[in-house]
Each structure stands twice: as structure tokens, then as C-alpha cells.
Amino acid sequence: DARVTQTPRHKVTEMGQEVTMRCQPILGHNTVFWYRQTMMQGLELLAYFRNRAPLDDSGMPKDRFSAEMPDATLATLKIQPSEPRDSAVYFCASGLYGGQADTQYFGPGTRLTVL
Amino acid sequence: SQQGEEDPQALSIQEGENATMNCSYKTSINNLQWYRQNSGRGLVHLILIRSNEREKHSGRLRVTLDTSKKSSSLLITASRAADTASYFCATAGYSGAGSYQLTFGKGTKLSVIP
């Protein structure tokens, strides 16, 4: 049963520290998304990649966030330095697209708490 | 923004009853999707309806789409306690920045009481 995996599942850190979240998309999927979910803002798209190339990262604070896909099996989201307002659940999702966005498959999320 | 807005924000029903959730959006879309999220979990895709479709069924789910009113509804028939979750609509189309993406609403929290 193919699924998206994310690590770590939970992360507690102090303000100013670097945080790295990892995602393994479903094998064969060519598009990877990073979302952030909070009670106030709901689910927000931060960035997405197709065939490992960044297509849109307009939802991501550029000064502290960065997203990469070093290879087809790994996507990373880094926050440096982290701030309390970054506390949220971060989801990775993947999908197979032939040109238009259809079904996305979500990972279990990384719950980040920045103290 | 083409963000979907679900209504109601929360819904509580008895097991066996039907649950109806609505979604409204603002701009033209390619398709509209519904997802479910159990507490502490990721979202799970339920059903997709394309802009040229009016109704779609999947098991106990029925989705309608009215593009003239920019609205959709999700009906869950004969609800079960296991249906307790948050339900999100997501619209697929072009963002203001020109990229093709899904935009999610804030969800309807459904509680099914045994």
C-alpha cells in the first residue's frame, strides 16, 4: 500500500533553531506539495515541485523557508531561523500529473512547535 | 481568491442520518475535490467532480456541482460514527500567481453520534 511518509512526526524546538522536515513521495509520482495547516489560516500551499523542479513557492516566506528535492525520493522543507509563529502542522502531498492538478495523496504531517 | 468556503463550519448528527456539507468558491475552476481529515492525520481524497459534470456518486457519497452558482455539496448518506472527521473542498484552477494548484477551504467538522 503506497503512501507518503514524513519525518519527524513531531518536533519541538526553540526559537532561532533550524528545523528540517523530510518527505518521501509515492514512488512514481512526479509532483510534490508542501502545505501548512493552522487553526486560523487553514491549509496553505507553501510550495510545489514537478519532476523535482520548483514550480511555485509564492506561498512560502522566502527569508526563512526553503524547499528542495535533492532526488525523486526525497523532498525537504527547512526553516532557519524558526519563530513561534511557524508552529503548525506541515503536510507533504504527492500526485501524478499529466499537466493538470488532480488527486493529491497526503502524508501524516509533521507537527512543529516552536517555543 | 478561488478558495472554497465550507458551510456549516460544524455539523453534529445521529448515526444513520444524512449529512450535507456545502462549498462555495469565487473563480472559475477545472475541477472540485472533497477530502476528509481524521483528527491528527493527513487529508484523504474522497471524490473529484469536473467542471462539466453536475453530479457524481461514490458509495455513500454524492457530490453536486453548480458552476453557475459557484457551489458544490457533499452528501453522506446513512452516516456512521467512523465518518466523524473534517471535510474539505478543494478547487483546482489557476492562482493569482498563474500556477495551477488546489486551494482548500477551512473545512466542515462533522460529528456522528452513535
Side-chain angles (χ1 to χ4, degrees):
Chain A
D1 185 24
R3 55 183 68 188
V4 175
T5 58
Q6 290 185 247
T7 56
R9 291 295 310 278
H10 302 272
K11 177 73 176 178
V12 180
T13 191
E14 293 190 344
M15 183 173 63
Q17 297 297 305
E18 178 178 302
V19 175
T20 299
M21 291 168 269
R22 294 177 174 81
C23 167
Q24 183 171 13
I26 292 173
L27 190 64
H29 281 185
N30 62 357
T31 307
V32 175
F33 304 83
W34 282 106
Y35 290 93
R36 176 172 62 185
Q37 186 177 39
T38 61
M39 289 294 292
M40 291 298 294
Q41 299 299 324
L43 200 63
E44 303 173 281
L45 177 66
L46 296 175
Y48 76 96
F49 295 77
R50 180 148 306 147
N51 299 319
R52 294 178 55 202
L55 281 194
D56 186 351
D57 61 0
S58 58
M60 200 165 66
K62 304 287 193 309
D63 56 338
R64 298 183 301 108
F65 285 59
S66 62
E68 294 180 347
M69 276 203 76
D71 61 61
T73 64
L74 177 64
T76 62
L77 179 66
K78 289 186 182 179
I79 308 175
Q80 168 63 18
S82 57
E83 297 181 0
R85 58 179 168 156
D86 302 328
S87 296
V89 182
Y90 291 80
F91 288 103
C92 173
S94 71
L96 179 61
Y97 300 123
Q100 306 252 290
D102 285 316
T103 303
Q104 295 184 16
Y105 297 82
F106 281 74
T110 294
R111 182 174 295 273
L112 174 65
T113 302
V114 183
L115 303 174
Chain B
S1 167
Q2 65 183 39
Q3 183 177 34
E5 294 289 337
E6 291 91 342
D7 170 59
Q9 291 186 340
L11 179 61
S12 184
I13 59 173
Q14 294 289 128
E15 200 165 30
E17 293 180 339
N18 295 341
T20 299
M21 288 159 270
N22 302 297
C23 171
S24 60
Y25 57 93
K26 295 179 181 176
T27 61
S28 62
I29 61 171
N30 177 273
N31 64 69
L32 185 145
Q33 304 175 36
W34 287 89
Y35 286 76
R36 182 187 71 218
Q37 184 179 32
N38 290 85
S39 181
R41 303 284 188 93
L43 280 73
V44 175
H45 179 262
L46 294 176
I47 194 166
L48 179 154
I49 186 165
R50 301 201 182 277
S51 60
N52 61 353
E53 297 176 311
R54 291 297 168 259
E55 188 171 314
K56 205 161 183 180
H57 296 255
S58 177
R60 293 184 295 113
L61 305 180
R62 173 178 167 251
V63 170
T64 63
L65 179 64
D66 187 335
T67 52
S68 66
K69 294 181 179 178
K70 291 187 169 56
S71 67
S72 173
S73 68
L74 171 68
L75 168 68
I76 304 174
T77 60
S79 64
R80 305 167 182 168
D83 295 329
T84 295
S86 291
Y87 292 81
F88 295 84
C89 73
T91 51
Y94 286 92
S95 72
S99 70
Y100 193 84
Q101 60 188 240
L102 280 184
T103 306
F104 288 82
K106 292 194 176 180
T108 291
K109 193 166 186 177
L110 173 66
S111 299
V112 181
I113 303 164

